Amino acid sequence: MTVNLLDFDLEGLAAFCEQLGEKRFRATQLFRWIHHKGASDFAQMTDLARSLREKLPAAARITGLPVLSRQDSADGTIKWLFDVGDGNAVETVFIPEDDRGTLCVSSQAGCAVGCRFCSTGHQGFSRNLTTGEILAQLWQAEFFLRQHLNRPGERVITNVVMMGMGEPLQNIHALIPALKVMLDDHAYGLSRRRVTVSTSGVVPMIDRLAQECPVALAVSLHAPNDPLRDDLVPLNRKYPIAELLDACLRYLPAAPRDFITFEYCMLDGVNDTPEHARELLKLLREHGGRGVPCKINLIPFNPFPDSGLRCSPRAVVQRFGQILNEGGIVTTIRKTRGDDIDAACGQLAGDVLDRTDAARRLAQRRAVEQPIRFVTPHPERQA
Ligand code: SF4
Protein backbone atom coordinates (compact mmCIF):
# COMPACT_ATOMS: atom_id res chain seq x y z
CA MET A 1 0.00 0.00 0.00
CA THR A 2 1.59 3.27 -1.09
CA VAL A 3 0.97 6.65 0.52
CA ASN A 4 -0.11 9.67 -1.50
CA LEU A 5 2.53 12.38 -1.08
CA LEU A 6 -0.16 15.05 -1.58
CA ASP A 7 -1.27 14.16 1.95
CA PHE A 8 1.87 15.65 3.50
CA ASP A 9 2.96 19.13 4.47
CA LEU A 10 6.73 19.64 4.42
CA GLU A 11 7.13 18.46 8.01
CA GLY A 12 5.14 15.31 7.27
CA LEU A 13 7.14 14.64 4.11
CA ALA A 14 10.40 15.01 6.05
CA ALA A 15 9.20 12.44 8.58
CA PHE A 16 8.24 10.14 5.69
CA CYS A 17 11.73 10.49 4.16
CA GLU A 18 13.23 9.56 7.53
CA GLN A 19 11.07 6.44 7.63
CA LEU A 20 12.60 5.48 4.28
CA GLY A 21 16.08 5.89 5.79
CA GLU A 22 16.72 9.15 3.93
CA LYS A 23 17.81 12.54 5.23
CA ARG A 24 14.99 14.91 6.13
CA PHE A 25 16.22 17.62 3.76
CA ARG A 26 15.44 15.38 0.78
CA ALA A 27 11.82 16.21 1.49
CA THR A 28 12.33 19.79 0.32
CA GLN A 29 13.53 18.63 -3.09
CA LEU A 30 10.64 16.23 -3.41
CA PHE A 31 8.16 18.84 -2.22
CA ARG A 32 9.37 21.32 -4.83
CA TRP A 33 9.06 18.78 -7.62
CA ILE A 34 5.48 18.10 -6.64
CA HIS A 35 4.20 21.57 -5.86
CA HIS A 36 6.47 23.87 -7.90
CA LYS A 37 6.67 21.76 -11.00
CA GLY A 38 3.57 19.61 -10.82
CA ALA A 39 5.53 16.38 -11.19
CA SER A 40 3.79 13.10 -10.52
CA ASP A 41 6.42 10.70 -11.87
CA PHE A 42 9.44 10.00 -9.66
CA ALA A 43 11.55 9.25 -12.74
CA GLN A 44 11.25 12.92 -13.73
CA MET A 45 12.93 14.04 -10.52
CA THR A 46 16.42 13.89 -11.86
CA ASP A 47 18.16 15.77 -9.05
CA LEU A 48 16.83 13.50 -6.31
CA ALA A 49 19.36 11.08 -4.82
CA ARG A 50 19.19 7.85 -6.76
CA SER A 51 18.65 5.84 -3.55
CA LEU A 52 15.49 7.81 -2.84
CA ARG A 53 14.25 7.66 -6.43
CA GLU A 54 14.57 3.90 -6.34
CA LYS A 55 12.69 3.51 -3.06
CA LEU A 56 9.84 5.87 -3.81
CA PRO A 57 7.76 3.90 -6.36
CA ALA A 58 7.27 1.02 -3.92
CA ALA A 59 6.36 3.29 -1.01
CA ALA A 60 4.61 6.33 -2.43
CA ARG A 61 2.58 7.84 -5.23
CA ILE A 62 1.48 11.32 -6.27
CA THR A 63 -2.14 11.00 -7.30
CA GLY A 64 -4.71 13.67 -8.02
CA LEU A 65 -8.47 13.23 -8.26
CA PRO A 66 -10.29 11.86 -11.31
CA VAL A 67 -12.03 14.68 -13.19
CA LEU A 68 -15.69 13.88 -13.81
CA SER A 69 -16.29 17.08 -15.74
CA ARG A 70 -14.90 20.50 -16.49
CA GLN A 71 -17.05 23.44 -17.51
CA ASP A 72 -15.74 26.72 -18.89
CA SER A 73 -17.87 29.82 -18.42
CA ALA A 74 -18.04 32.62 -20.96
CA ASP A 75 -16.53 34.92 -18.29
CA GLY A 76 -13.41 32.73 -17.88
CA THR A 77 -14.59 30.95 -14.74
CA ILE A 78 -13.80 27.23 -14.80
CA LYS A 79 -15.54 24.60 -12.68
CA TRP A 80 -14.28 21.09 -12.09
CA LEU A 81 -16.26 18.20 -10.67
CA PHE A 82 -13.82 15.81 -9.01
CA ASP A 83 -14.59 12.21 -8.10
CA VAL A 84 -13.76 11.40 -4.47
CA GLY A 85 -15.06 7.84 -4.57
CA ASP A 86 -18.17 5.94 -3.46
CA GLY A 87 -20.39 8.09 -5.67
CA ASN A 88 -19.25 11.33 -4.05
CA ALA A 89 -17.91 14.31 -5.93
CA VAL A 90 -16.70 17.78 -5.02
CA GLU A 91 -16.50 20.99 -6.98
CA THR A 92 -13.65 23.43 -7.42
CA VAL A 93 -13.97 26.77 -9.16
CA PHE A 94 -11.33 29.03 -10.70
CA ILE A 95 -12.30 32.69 -10.95
CA PRO A 96 -9.96 34.89 -13.03
CA GLU A 97 -9.86 38.62 -12.45
CA ASP A 98 -7.59 41.35 -13.81
CA ASP A 99 -5.15 41.28 -10.91
CA ARG A 100 -5.63 37.80 -9.45
CA GLY A 101 -6.70 34.23 -10.01
CA THR A 102 -8.80 32.80 -7.21
CA LEU A 103 -9.47 29.12 -6.61
CA CYS A 104 -12.50 28.18 -4.54
CA VAL A 105 -11.71 24.86 -2.87
CA SER A 106 -13.97 22.26 -1.22
CA SER A 107 -13.20 20.72 2.17
CA GLN A 108 -15.92 18.08 2.55
CA ALA A 109 -18.13 15.92 0.35
CA GLY A 110 -21.44 17.53 1.25
CA CYS A 111 -21.86 19.49 4.46
CA ALA A 112 -23.45 18.77 7.83
CA VAL A 113 -24.28 22.37 8.71
CA GLY A 114 -27.32 22.54 6.45
CA CYS A 115 -27.63 26.27 5.82
CA ARG A 116 -31.03 27.01 4.36
CA PHE A 117 -29.80 29.03 1.39
CA CYS A 118 -27.03 26.63 0.35
CA SER A 119 -27.49 23.85 -2.15
CA THR A 120 -24.55 21.91 -0.69
CA GLY A 121 -26.27 22.00 2.69
CA HIS A 122 -29.37 20.49 1.11
CA GLN A 123 -27.38 17.60 -0.25
CA GLY A 124 -26.29 16.23 3.15
CA PHE A 125 -22.92 15.19 4.50
CA SER A 126 -20.92 12.26 3.19
CA ARG A 127 -17.42 12.64 4.56
CA ASN A 128 -14.43 14.84 5.24
CA LEU A 129 -11.85 15.20 2.50
CA THR A 130 -8.28 14.20 3.26
CA THR A 131 -5.43 16.71 3.13
CA GLY A 132 -4.43 15.15 -0.19
CA GLU A 133 -7.93 15.58 -1.62
CA ILE A 134 -8.02 19.25 -0.57
CA LEU A 135 -4.57 19.88 -2.04
CA ALA A 136 -5.23 17.86 -5.19
CA GLN A 137 -7.81 20.49 -6.18
CA LEU A 138 -5.14 23.21 -6.06
CA TRP A 139 -2.39 21.05 -7.54
CA GLN A 140 -4.47 19.91 -10.50
CA ALA A 141 -6.05 23.30 -11.16
CA GLU A 142 -2.72 25.17 -11.01
CA PHE A 143 -0.85 22.90 -13.39
CA PHE A 144 -3.82 22.50 -15.73
CA LEU A 145 -4.20 26.29 -15.92
CA ARG A 146 -0.52 26.92 -16.62
CA GLN A 147 -0.85 24.72 -19.67
CA HIS A 148 -4.37 25.76 -20.67
CA LEU A 149 -3.54 29.48 -20.48
CA ASN A 150 -0.09 28.96 -21.96
CA ARG A 151 1.69 30.36 -18.93
CA PRO A 152 4.39 27.75 -18.27
CA GLY A 153 6.35 28.27 -15.05
CA GLU A 154 4.11 31.18 -14.05
CA ARG A 155 1.86 30.99 -11.02
CA VAL A 156 -1.77 31.32 -12.13
CA ILE A 157 -3.61 30.83 -8.84
CA THR A 158 -2.77 33.74 -6.55
CA ASN A 159 -5.59 33.36 -4.01
CA VAL A 160 -7.32 30.41 -2.41
CA VAL A 161 -10.67 30.63 -0.68
CA MET A 162 -11.93 27.68 1.33
CA MET A 163 -15.49 28.47 0.30
CA GLY A 164 -16.40 25.47 -1.81
CA MET A 165 -18.39 22.53 -0.53
CA GLY A 166 -18.23 21.85 3.19
CA GLU A 167 -17.48 23.60 6.46
CA PRO A 168 -13.66 23.69 6.55
CA LEU A 169 -13.43 24.10 10.31
CA GLN A 170 -15.36 20.86 10.81
CA ASN A 171 -12.44 19.22 8.98
CA ILE A 172 -9.63 21.15 10.62
CA HIS A 173 -7.46 18.07 11.07
CA ALA A 174 -7.01 17.79 7.28
CA LEU A 175 -7.30 21.52 6.65
CA ILE A 176 -4.30 22.73 8.67
CA PRO A 177 -1.62 20.71 6.78
CA ALA A 178 -3.27 21.72 3.49
CA LEU A 179 -3.09 25.41 4.47
CA LYS A 180 0.56 24.98 5.44
CA VAL A 181 1.35 23.65 1.97
CA MET A 182 -0.48 26.56 0.34
CA LEU A 183 1.65 28.99 2.36
CA ASP A 184 4.98 27.16 2.07
CA ASP A 185 7.57 28.88 -0.13
CA HIS A 186 8.71 25.48 -1.36
CA ALA A 187 5.16 24.83 -2.59
CA TYR A 188 2.67 27.56 -3.58
CA GLY A 189 4.10 30.38 -1.45
CA LEU A 190 0.78 32.18 -1.04
CA SER A 191 0.70 34.92 1.56
CA ARG A 192 -1.58 34.44 4.57
CA ARG A 193 -3.64 37.38 3.33
CA ARG A 194 -4.37 35.54 0.10
CA VAL A 195 -5.65 32.36 1.70
CA THR A 196 -9.10 32.67 3.23
CA VAL A 197 -10.96 30.20 5.39
CA SER A 198 -14.70 30.76 5.39
CA THR A 199 -16.68 29.40 8.30
CA SER A 200 -20.29 29.30 9.37
CA GLY A 201 -19.01 29.79 12.93
CA VAL A 202 -17.36 26.76 14.53
CA VAL A 203 -16.18 28.81 17.51
CA PRO A 204 -13.59 26.47 19.14
CA MET A 205 -11.98 25.83 15.77
CA ILE A 206 -11.66 29.55 15.04
CA ASP A 207 -9.45 29.69 18.14
CA ARG A 208 -7.51 26.67 16.96
CA LEU A 209 -6.98 28.15 13.52
CA ALA A 210 -5.59 31.30 15.18
CA GLN A 211 -3.06 29.20 17.08
CA GLU A 212 -2.03 26.77 14.36
CA CYS A 213 -2.26 28.54 11.02
CA PRO A 214 -3.87 31.98 10.99
CA VAL A 215 -5.01 33.03 7.55
CA ALA A 216 -7.67 35.52 6.43
CA LEU A 217 -11.02 34.71 8.02
CA ALA A 218 -14.46 35.09 6.48
CA VAL A 219 -17.55 34.38 8.55
CA SER A 220 -20.91 33.50 7.04
CA LEU A 221 -23.19 35.67 9.15
CA HIS A 222 -26.36 36.14 7.08
CA ALA A 223 -28.49 37.48 9.93
CA PRO A 224 -28.27 40.25 12.56
CA ASN A 225 -29.98 38.34 15.39
CA ASP A 226 -30.06 34.83 16.81
CA PRO A 227 -33.65 33.78 16.01
CA LEU A 228 -33.16 34.53 12.33
CA ARG A 229 -29.65 33.06 12.22
CA ASP A 230 -30.84 29.91 14.02
CA ASP A 231 -33.15 29.39 11.09
CA LEU A 232 -30.68 30.19 8.31
CA VAL A 233 -27.48 28.70 9.78
CA PRO A 234 -28.44 25.89 12.18
CA LEU A 235 -24.96 25.88 13.76
CA ASN A 236 -25.96 29.16 15.39
CA ARG A 237 -27.98 27.17 17.95
CA LYS A 238 -24.71 25.79 19.26
CA TYR A 239 -22.55 28.90 18.81
CA PRO A 240 -24.80 31.96 18.89
CA ILE A 241 -23.83 35.32 17.44
CA ALA A 242 -22.31 36.83 20.59
CA GLU A 243 -19.97 33.84 21.04
CA LEU A 244 -19.09 33.94 17.36
CA LEU A 245 -18.23 37.64 17.44
CA ASP A 246 -16.16 37.12 20.61
CA ALA A 247 -14.20 34.46 18.70
CA CYS A 248 -13.69 36.93 15.84
CA LEU A 249 -12.24 39.48 18.29
CA ARG A 250 -9.89 36.82 19.70
CA TYR A 251 -8.84 35.89 16.16
CA LEU A 252 -7.88 39.37 15.03
CA PRO A 253 -4.52 39.68 16.86
CA ALA A 254 -3.28 36.60 14.98
CA ALA A 255 -4.96 37.41 11.67
CA PRO A 256 -2.98 38.60 8.63
CA ARG A 257 -5.58 41.32 8.05
CA ASP A 258 -6.90 43.73 10.64
CA PHE A 259 -10.52 42.95 9.87
CA ILE A 260 -12.89 40.04 9.54
CA THR A 261 -14.97 39.62 6.40
CA PHE A 262 -18.63 38.89 7.05
CA GLU A 263 -20.62 37.23 4.28
CA TYR A 264 -24.30 38.07 4.07
CA CYS A 265 -26.51 36.28 1.56
CA MET A 266 -29.38 38.53 0.52
CA LEU A 267 -32.70 36.68 0.75
CA ASP A 268 -35.84 38.38 -0.43
CA GLY A 269 -38.14 39.24 2.48
CA VAL A 270 -36.08 37.17 4.94
CA ASN A 271 -33.01 39.15 6.04
CA ASP A 272 -32.88 42.12 3.67
CA THR A 273 -34.95 44.96 5.12
CA PRO A 274 -33.51 48.36 6.16
CA GLU A 275 -34.29 47.34 9.77
CA HIS A 276 -32.09 44.26 9.35
CA ALA A 277 -29.32 46.47 7.96
CA ARG A 278 -29.54 48.86 10.91
CA GLU A 279 -29.61 45.96 13.37
CA LEU A 280 -26.53 44.47 11.70
CA LEU A 281 -24.75 47.81 11.83
CA LYS A 282 -25.48 48.22 15.53
CA LEU A 283 -24.40 44.66 16.27
CA LEU A 284 -21.06 44.93 14.49
CA ARG A 285 -20.27 48.45 15.66
CA GLU A 286 -21.13 47.85 19.30
CA HIS A 287 -20.29 44.23 20.05
CA GLY A 288 -17.87 43.94 22.95
CA GLY A 289 -18.05 47.69 23.52
CA ARG A 290 -15.82 48.71 20.61
CA GLY A 291 -17.31 46.69 17.80
CA VAL A 292 -15.71 44.17 15.43
CA PRO A 293 -13.36 45.61 12.76
CA CYS A 294 -14.87 44.20 9.61
CA LYS A 295 -15.93 44.40 6.02
CA ILE A 296 -19.17 42.99 4.69
CA ASN A 297 -19.79 41.17 1.43
CA LEU A 298 -23.39 41.11 0.29
CA ILE A 299 -23.98 38.01 -1.80
CA PRO A 300 -26.89 37.85 -4.21
CA PHE A 301 -28.64 34.53 -3.52
CA ASN A 302 -28.50 32.00 -6.34
CA PRO A 303 -31.82 30.17 -6.34
CA PHE A 304 -31.80 26.38 -6.59
CA PRO A 305 -34.70 23.91 -6.75
CA ASP A 306 -36.73 23.44 -3.54
CA SER A 307 -34.93 26.18 -1.63
CA GLY A 308 -38.15 28.13 -1.20
CA LEU A 309 -36.05 31.31 -1.28
CA ARG A 310 -35.59 34.16 -3.72
CA CYS A 311 -32.80 36.63 -4.29
CA SER A 312 -33.44 40.15 -3.02
CA PRO A 313 -34.14 42.66 -5.80
CA ARG A 314 -31.12 44.66 -6.89
CA ALA A 315 -32.46 47.92 -5.43
CA VAL A 316 -33.00 46.25 -2.05
CA VAL A 317 -29.42 44.93 -2.01
CA GLN A 318 -28.12 48.38 -2.91
CA ARG A 319 -30.18 50.08 -0.20
CA PHE A 320 -28.97 47.53 2.36
CA GLY A 321 -25.34 48.15 1.37
CA GLN A 322 -25.85 51.90 1.44
CA ILE A 323 -27.07 51.81 5.06
CA LEU A 324 -24.01 49.81 6.09
CA ASN A 325 -21.58 51.98 4.16
CA GLU A 326 -23.12 55.17 5.52
CA GLY A 327 -22.86 53.65 8.99
CA GLY A 328 -19.11 53.24 8.55
CA ILE A 329 -18.70 49.60 7.54
CA VAL A 330 -17.12 49.02 4.14
CA THR A 331 -19.65 46.92 2.27
CA THR A 332 -19.44 45.49 -1.22
CA ILE A 333 -21.92 43.64 -3.34
CA ARG A 334 -20.29 40.53 -4.70
CA LYS A 335 -20.39 40.08 -8.44
CA THR A 336 -21.69 36.69 -9.41
CA ARG A 337 -19.39 34.74 -11.69
CA GLY A 338 -19.84 31.60 -13.72
CA ASP A 339 -23.65 31.75 -13.62
CA ASP A 340 -23.86 29.90 -16.93
CA ILE A 341 -22.09 26.88 -15.41
CA ASP A 342 -23.75 26.97 -11.95
CA ALA A 343 -20.46 27.97 -10.35
CA ALA A 344 -21.73 30.95 -8.39
CA CYS A 345 -21.83 30.96 -4.59
CA GLY A 346 -24.28 28.53 -3.08
CA GLN A 347 -24.64 26.58 -6.30
CA LEU A 348 -21.95 24.01 -5.63
CA ALA A 349 -23.96 20.84 -5.65
CA GLY A 350 -23.94 19.86 -9.30
CA ASP A 351 -24.72 16.23 -9.92
CA VAL A 352 -23.46 15.07 -6.57
CA LEU A 353 -25.51 12.36 -4.99
CA ASP A 354 -27.33 12.86 -1.71
CA ARG A 355 -25.93 9.76 -0.06
CA THR A 356 -27.09 10.55 3.45
CA ASP A 357 -30.73 11.35 2.79
CA ALA A 358 -30.07 14.48 4.80
CA ALA A 359 -32.09 16.72 2.50
CA ARG A 360 -35.25 14.84 3.42
CA ARG A 361 -34.40 14.83 7.14
CA LEU A 362 -33.55 18.53 6.99
CA ALA A 363 -36.87 19.33 5.36
CA GLN A 364 -38.71 17.33 8.04
CA ARG A 365 -36.83 19.04 10.84
CA ARG A 366 -37.58 22.49 9.43
CA ALA A 367 -41.23 21.64 9.09
CA VAL A 368 -41.28 20.93 12.82
CA GLU A 369 -39.08 23.83 13.87
CA GLN A 370 -40.35 26.70 11.82
CA PRO A 371 -43.61 27.37 13.65
CA ILE A 372 -41.83 27.77 17.00
CA ARG A 373 -38.55 29.28 15.99
CA PHE A 374 -39.24 32.80 17.27
CA VAL A 375 -40.94 31.68 20.47
CA THR A 376 -38.76 29.22 22.34
CA PRO A 377 -35.00 29.68 22.81
CA HIS A 378 -33.12 26.65 21.58
CA PRO A 379 -32.40 24.14 24.38
CA GLU A 380 -28.66 24.09 23.67
CA ARG A 381 -28.45 27.80 24.34
CA GLN A 382 -30.50 27.60 27.53
CA ALA A 383 -28.14 25.00 28.98
S1 SF4 B 1 -23.02 27.56 3.44
FE1 SF4 B 1 -21.14 26.43 3.95
S2 SF4 B 1 -21.50 25.70 6.05
FE2 SF4 B 1 -23.52 26.27 5.23
S3 SF4 B 1 -24.34 24.36 4.36
FE3 SF4 B 1 -23.28 25.46 2.70
S4 SF4 B 1 -21.23 24.56 2.66
FE4 SF4 B 1 -22.14 24.06 4.66
Side-chain angles (χ1 to χ4, degrees):
M1 179 76 174
T2 56
V3 296
N4 189 357
L5 298 188
L6 292 180
D7 273 314
F8 292 129
D9 59 12
L10 187 52
E11 186 58 34
L13 196 57
F16 176 72
C17 285
E18 261 186 341
Q19 277 175 20
L20 293 181
E22 297 287 332
K23 300 276 190 236
R24 288 174 69 87
F25 74 84
R26 296 278 179 219
T28 307
Q29 283 177 299
L30 194 46
F31 204 59
R32 290 171 68 92
W33 271 107
I34 299 168
H35 296 292
H36 267 186
K37 298 186 180 163
S40 58
D41 180 357
F42 299 122
Q44 279 179 278
M45 304 180 182
T46 44
D47 60 355
L48 276 191
R50 192 195 293 174
S51 62
L52 178 56
R53 246 189 299 155
E54 285 171 356
K55 287 177 200 166
L56 280 170
R61 65 187 194 283
I62 304 160
T63 316
L65 296 167
V67 178
L68 290 173
S69 66
R70 194 191 92 221
Q71 290 171 273
D72 295 22
S73 164
D75 68 11
T77 300
I78 298 177
K79 181 175 82 169
W80 291 266
L81 187 66
F82 289 113
D83 186 359
V84 292
D86 297 329
N88 294 305
V90 297
E91 293 183 341
T92 308
V93 181
F94 173 68
I95 305 140
E97 288 172 280
D98 290 344
D99 59 343
R100 68 182 72 180
T102 302
L103 193 71
C104 181
V105 171
S106 294
S107 56
Q108 298 179 310
C111 183
V113 176
C115 298
R116 235 183 110 184
F117 49 83
C118 171
S119 58
T120 302
H122 278 241
Q123 152 206 325
F125 175 70
S126 291
R127 69 169 176 85
N128 283 328
L129 299 189
T130 63
T131 298
E133 287 168 336
I134 295 171
L135 279 174
Q137 297 169 65
L138 172 58
W139 184 67
Q140 284 172 257
E142 173 67 35
F143 294 102
F144 165 81
L145 288 165
R146 285 186 195 186
Q147 229 176 10
H148 185 65
L149 303 174
N150 198 19
R151 290 165 59 178
E154 194 186 331
R155 189 188 297 161
V156 178
I157 295 166
T158 60
N159 295 58
V160 171
V161 291
M162 297 301 305
M163 289 186 188
M165 297 168 73
E167 164 51 67
L169 294 188
Q170 286 188 336
N171 186 17
I172 198 161
H173 183 71
L175 175 72
I176 296 277
L179 294 176
K180 287 183 175 169
V181 176
M182 293 173 196
L183 302 176
D184 198 309
D185 284 338
H186 296 297
Y188 302 91
L190 301 176
S191 90
R192 290 181 188 276
R193 301 159 65 90
R194 288 175 176 266
V195 176
T196 301
V197 168
S198 174
T199 180
S200 58
V202 190
V203 164
M205 297 304 141
I206 293 175
D207 292 328
R208 190 163 155 196
L209 187 67
Q211 285 164 9
E212 298 189 21
C213 195
V215 292
L217 185 68
V219 172
S220 299
L221 194 58
H222 310 304
N225 59 59
D226 282 321
L228 182 54
R229 194 164 191 270
D230 283 353
D231 183 47
L232 296 177
V233 185
L235 192 67
N236 195 68
R237 297 165 190 160
K238 192 163 184 186
Y239 305 116
I241 290 174
E243 284 182 32
L244 176 56
L245 298 185
D246 284 346
C248 291
L249 289 174
R250 290 194 298 276
Y251 192 83
L252 278 168
R257 295 177 182 270
D258 56 4
F259 61 88
I260 302 288
T261 303
F262 290 109
E263 311 281 352
Y264 198 100
C265 184
M266 296 296 291
L267 303 167
D268 185 25
V270 175
N271 65 353
D272 65 347
T273 66
E275 290 70 35
H276 287 127
R278 284 188 275 273
E279 193 181 359
L280 182 63
L281 192 59
K282 184 170 159 51
L283 174 75
L284 296 177
R285 293 198 62 180
E286 296 181 7
H287 181 79
R290 297 171 64 183
V292 182
C294 64
K295 292 185 179 176
I296 297 177
N297 268 337
L298 301 180
I299 305 168
F301 172 63
N302 289 298
F304 56 91
D306 302 328
S307 70
L309 297 164
R310 292 182 310 271
C311 180
S312 307
R314 182 86 192 154
V316 170
V317 179
Q318 281 172 339
R319 175 76 184 120
F320 198 94
Q322 188 186 4
I323 293 170
L324 294 169
N325 274 315
E326 286 174 0
I329 297 183
V330 174
T331 302
T332 49
I333 300 170
R334 191 186 287 171
K335 277 187 293 188
T336 63
R337 298 289 302 267
D339 283 352
D340 52 333
I341 56 170
D342 280 355
C345 285
Q347 288 187 339
L348 298 185
D351 301 325
V352 181
L353 297 178
D354 178 357
R355 303 189 61 79
T356 62
D357 202 22
R360 184 186 56 76
R361 285 186 278 109
L362 205 63
Q364 276 181 346
R365 200 182 72 204
R366 284 194 189 115
V368 173
E369 284 170 355
Q370 279 188 358
I372 59 165
R373 67 182 190 264
F374 296 115
V375 180
T376 312
H378 193 272
E380 280 182 53
R381 192 161 325 123
Q382 286 177 315

